[in-house]
Amino acid sequence: MDSYSQRASATPSLSNGSPTELFNGLGPEISSQPPHSTPTSSTGIDSRAPPNTVQAACLACRGKHLKCDGKNPCSRCRTSDSECNYVASRRGYKGPRRNGAPNPNKRHASDSPTEGSDNCPMLLGRAASTAAPPGMATFNPALALPDSPVTPFAPPGMNSLQLFRNPYLDASNGALVEATPRPPQTVPERCIDSFYYYFYPGHPAVLPKEQLLKVAKERNLDHLLAAMKWVGSLYIDVGPARATFFEEVMRLIYAKDVIKDGYLVQAMVILLIGLDGSCQQEKAREILSDVERIAIEIGLYTRAFATMHGGSIPRLEESWRRTWWDLYVVDGMVAGVHRQTNFLLFDIVADVGLPCEEHEYKSGSIPRPMYLEDFDDQLFSGEEREFSSFAYRVASIRNLGRMMRLPNGGFPNEENVNRIEALLSNWRMHLPASKRDCLNKDCDLDEMMFQAHMINHACSIILHQPLSQLDSSPARDVTACAPHRAVQSGDNFNLHTRHIITAACEISKMVTYNVPITSHTHFFTCVLTLSSIVHLSKWALEYFIHDEDDLRQQIRLNIGALNKLSNVWKAANNASGQVRGVAQEIYRAKKAQQNNPSFWVGFTQEEIISSMAADEGIMSEINTMLTSSAP
């Protein structure tokens, strides 16, 4: 309050003094004869000007369309005991007319009155020290109102209006001049921005940037900020700073005096995702084990945690709910795509509220949370409830956990497969219309629904592949994300084969969303690899495939996406190299088959030439794409 009072006393008030006095308080005195001023008579009064012209009306008179005498306060405001304020007019000097003779009897809009005059509150101020750049000699009024912080001297709703002076204008000609340039961002600032642009959409658990930086001024969040900077640095070129950030975050999260709280959990989750995508999967699993233990120890999985540690701040309470469920989803994704862990958190009985929609989180309009029991009972309760995309993401990964708890080590019998398929199909069939694709109501990508659909398709492949009749041996060398699973071939496509082919095609379609593919979660790399194994296994069949051209295009989509992801994630680079190697091996085998005339029995010459040309074309493009993207 003291600083506020000091600022108020140091700045002229609108209610005290005339407009000229207010102007004089804001800057040095103006010369009595500026370049465009006109001569005055011996009496000091311009004989050409009307004697009683008022240059501006006060806000009260202007709003009532009444004549104002220009005094402060004016007679009408004094009579009505109203507040009398003046603001600068939005009408500005437009520059001299082109090809027009100057009118010696016309006063220019930029002319200033003689010294001592107090009847013109529209002064623009002294000349700026920087000359106007070429091509900007004319004044655009719309650009003369820069955003400025709220001032206590303007009435509500008037903070965007200019008060008597504009520091961005040259008083001599009304031209815009260059404002002081913003200092360039530091490397840590660039990394934080990179984190929020690329990584945050896929794992939106931390507070929005403005709120997080505010909290960081009040308490120590160095470990969380270090994790964010390191992951953000993976998307941009920051040189040796990347290694520095990594060393910093590893030191801070394992410091002896580190506080075990939700912020530590957030830092560790961000770190383990980055490590997993960087092919440091063993280290990522170690951190995952540690963060699971800490989350359970502090009670992050309980309904009361958000209330107890949210400080009655709805957005912070929502952040804690998101932190638990994002850890839950990441635990499931790591277990599903790598098949090295067992989704530990699936067995924890959690009663944490489900997260809200992203636009509600960012705006701070957090609704009352709903819970998993509400989600499960929605079909039977008779109540119309709308659940967030984050909730459908949680439900999708929960189905993966149920599948992983099937007996027989992941090779279930028909009965268990049918039970899990019912869960997957029910999840898809009961999606509301707004959640059936990955776009929100503004036709922007909904990353939470993107991941929810991605998990559902991946579950379908993992569930049905052991019982399918699509021989996976041609893709046995694609092990960047998970070890190879041998599947025996059959003469015909059974139901399970059709399930995995459909899921693989749906995953390839997800590549076509018009967003930077690196803004998806890095786990999309492994789901693309799953899809590619199915496509390659089908392409390797010894007989002619009628939809072979579509299949080639899907292989191209997957490899192109892996190429883009490999610019950030080393795991994607490994996967794309393995897929290329398998594609080349299959291509060579197909060429050998095609050299046998019996292979083409029943096909026209046009079909033969078209098929062979298409195979050669796709291999040429695959080699070109991967060679050009090689580091």
Side-chain angles (χ1 to χ4, degrees):
M1 291 297 294
D2 294 338
S3 61
Y4 177 89
S5 303
Q6 292 171 359
R7 291 197 304 271
S9 61
T11 310
S13 170
L14 287 179
S15 59
N16 297 321
S18 67
T20 302
E21 291 170 345
L22 173 60
F23 173 72
N24 290 336
L26 290 173
E29 199 171 279
I30 302 299
S31 170
S32 60
Q33 293 290 338
H36 295 291
S37 63
T38 55
T40 58
S41 65
S42 58
T43 59
I45 300 175
D46 189 346
S47 59
R48 296 185 305 257
N52 295 321
T53 298
V54 177
Q55 297 294 332
C58 69
L59 292 177
C61 293
R62 186 185 303 180
K64 297 176 182 178
H65 300 286
L66 297 175
K67 186 176 180 181
C68 181
D69 59 16
K71 298 180 180 179
N72 194 351
C74 71
S75 57
R76 293 185 186 277
C77 291
R78 187 167 53 249
T79 302
S80 61
D81 196 22
S82 301
E83 186 177 6
C84 189
N85 292 329
Y86 292 84
V87 297
S89 171
R90 289 176 182 261
R91 299 173 183 173
Y93 173 57
K94 305 280 193 299
R97 294 183 180 179
R98 295 182 179 179
N99 302 325
N103 185 353
N105 296 322
K106 183 174 181 179
R107 179 170 176 165
H108 292 280
S110 61
D111 286 351
S112 299
T114 56
E115 183 175 350
S117 173
D118 61 354
N119 65 347
C120 183
M122 301 295 107
L123 300 176
L124 294 176
R126 62 176 177 177
S129 59
T130 307
M136 297 186 66
T138 57
F139 164 52
N140 183 351
L143 298 177
L145 299 171
D147 292 336
S148 58
V150 175
T151 169
F153 308 108
M158 299 298 296
N159 291 309
S160 63
L161 295 181
Q162 175 196 1
L163 294 180
F164 304 108
R165 274 180 69 98
N166 190 333
Y168 300 100
L169 293 179
D170 188 331
S172 63
N173 59 9
L176 285 173
V177 296
E178 233 180 286
T180 304
R182 291 180 57 185
Q185 282 188 309
T186 63
V187 169
E189 289 172 340
R190 289 174 54 216
C191 291
I192 292 293
D193 285 349
S194 173
F195 169 88
Y196 275 103
Y197 182 79
Y198 290 106
F199 186 87
Y200 174 86
H203 300 277
V206 300
L207 287 168
K209 179 182 174 182
E210 183 179 349
Q211 286 73 34
L212 182 69
L213 296 181
K214 182 178 179 181
V215 173
K217 295 178 181 179
E218 301 170 356
R219 57 169 299 156
N220 184 1
L221 296 184
D222 289 348
H223 52 347
L224 176 56
L225 292 175
M228 294 166 63
K229 287 183 287 188
W230 176 67
V231 166
S233 73
L234 298 177
Y235 298 89
I236 58 178
D237 183 12
V238 295
R242 180 180 301 166
T244 303
F245 293 146
F246 179 72
E247 293 171 1
E248 180 184 9
V249 66
M250 289 298 295
R251 173 176 55 81
L252 291 174
I253 65 172
Y254 284 108
K256 293 182 179 180
D257 58 346
V258 67
I259 300 175
K260 295 180 179 179
D261 59 4
Y263 294 113
L264 177 61
V265 172
Q266 291 177 345
M268 296 179 76
V269 171
I270 292 169
L271 178 61
L272 77 88
I273 295 171
L275 288 170
D276 189 80
S278 301
C279 285
Q280 300 186 48
Q281 294 164 0
E282 184 175 350
K283 186 63 179 177
R285 287 194 295 270
E286 292 178 6
I287 296 175
L288 176 61
S289 177
D290 292 337
V291 72
E292 287 172 338
R293 176 177 49 79
I294 293 172
I296 295 171
E297 181 181 328
I298 66 177
L300 187 62
Y301 63 95
T302 63
R303 183 178 302 192
F305 184 91
T307 304
M308 292 174 57
H309 300 274
S312 299
I313 303 172
R315 189 184 272 120
L316 184 56
E317 294 177 359
E318 171 69 10
S319 178
W320 297 140
R321 292 190 288 268
R322 287 172 170 237
T323 301
W324 166 257
W325 287 121
D326 197 52
L327 173 60
Y328 181 87
V329 171
V330 169
D331 187 21
M333 286 185 176
V334 170
V337 300
H338 297 313
R339 303 170 201 168
Q340 298 291 328
T341 54
N342 63 351
F343 197 176
L344 173 68
L345 297 184
F346 177 79
D347 298 320
I348 301 297
V349 180
D351 58 354
V352 181
L354 293 171
C356 64
E357 296 286 12
E358 184 63 20
H359 68 87
E360 295 171 329
Y361 182 46
K362 288 184 176 179
S363 67
S365 302
I366 313 295
R368 182 185 65 84
M370 290 184 282
Y371 299 87
L372 274 178
E373 53 264 32
D374 299 322
F375 187 90
D376 293 334
D377 296 340
Q378 58 181 314
L379 295 178
F380 309 103
S381 64
E383 300 180 17
E384 291 289 337
R385 295 175 175 174
E386 291 187 7
F387 290 88
S388 69
S389 300
F390 210 130
Y392 286 99
R393 177 183 181 232
V394 170
S396 190
I397 201 71
R398 190 173 54 157
N399 286 337
L400 173 65
R402 290 166 172 165
M403 183 182 69
M404 294 184 68
R405 293 301 180 267
L406 292 176
N408 302 326
F411 290 87
N413 56 36
E414 287 276 359
E415 181 181 355
N416 286 331
V417 168
N418 292 337
R419 183 161 59 88
I420 298 300
E421 179 55 41
L423 293 173
L424 300 178
S425 298
N426 274 326
W427 184 91
R428 292 190 297 266
M429 286 190 298
H430 294 292
L431 287 173
S434 60
K435 306 295 183 184
R436 288 174 188 166
D437 56 32
C438 305
L439 300 177
N440 60 23
K441 61 182 180 180
D442 298 321
C443 289
D444 296 326
L445 181 75
D446 184 342
E447 178 65 23
M448 293 296 96
M449 282 310 301
F450 181 93
Q451 292 185 28
H453 285 283
M454 177 191 79
I455 294 167
N456 187 272
H457 297 320
C459 285
S460 187
I461 293 177
I462 296 171
L463 175 67
H464 291 283
Q465 194 175 35
L467 298 177
S468 73
Q469 293 172 303
L470 192 62
D471 184 8
S472 63
S473 60
R476 60 185 174 274
D477 293 330
V478 182
T479 57
C481 289
H484 171 67
R485 298 176 71 177
V487 178
Q488 295 181 351
S489 62
D491 295 333
N492 299 304
F493 282 178
N494 61 11
L495 180 63
H496 303 288
T497 308
R498 297 193 181 277
H499 272 296
I500 66 172
I501 290 175
T502 300
C505 292
E506 291 298 320
I507 291 169
S508 295
K509 288 181 184 178
M510 299 181 78
V511 176
T512 63
Y513 284 106
N514 189 23
V515 296
I517 198 165
T518 50
S519 64
H520 298 312
T521 177
H522 112 79
F523 293 105
F524 190 41
T525 293
C526 294
V527 176
L528 280 171
T529 306
L530 268 178
S531 171
S532 299
I533 290 172
V534 175
H535 291 326
L536 292 171
S537 299
K538 184 180 177 182
W539 194 35
L541 293 175
E542 296 182 359
Y543 52 84
F544 186 83
I545 304 172
H546 292 286
D547 62 346
E548 191 166 10
D549 186 59
D550 292 338
L551 181 60
R552 295 186 190 101
Q553 302 310 317
Q554 289 161 353
I555 294 173
R556 288 176 60 199
L557 274 174
N558 286 14
I559 294 180
L562 290 171
N563 268 347
K564 292 292 186 182
L565 288 166
S566 67
N567 292 330
V568 178
W569 303 113
K570 186 178 179 181
N573 185 63
N574 290 352
S576 63
Q578 291 176 359
V579 170
R580 179 183 65 168
V582 171
Q584 290 172 331
E585 183 178 335
I586 292 173
Y587 172 69
R588 286 192 292 267
K590 289 177 74 71
K591 289 290 290 183
Q593 295 169 5
Q594 292 168 359
N595 290 332
N596 185 351
S598 62
F599 181 83
W600 298 110
V601 172
F603 295 97
T604 66
Q605 185 176 7
E606 183 180 353
E607 288 174 332
I608 294 173
I609 295 174
S610 175
S611 178
M612 294 178 68
D615 282 342
E616 292 178 1
I618 187 173
M619 284 312 306
S620 176
E621 291 186 22
I622 288 173
N623 289 331
T624 300
M625 286 190 297
L626 290 171
T627 301
S628 62
S629 66

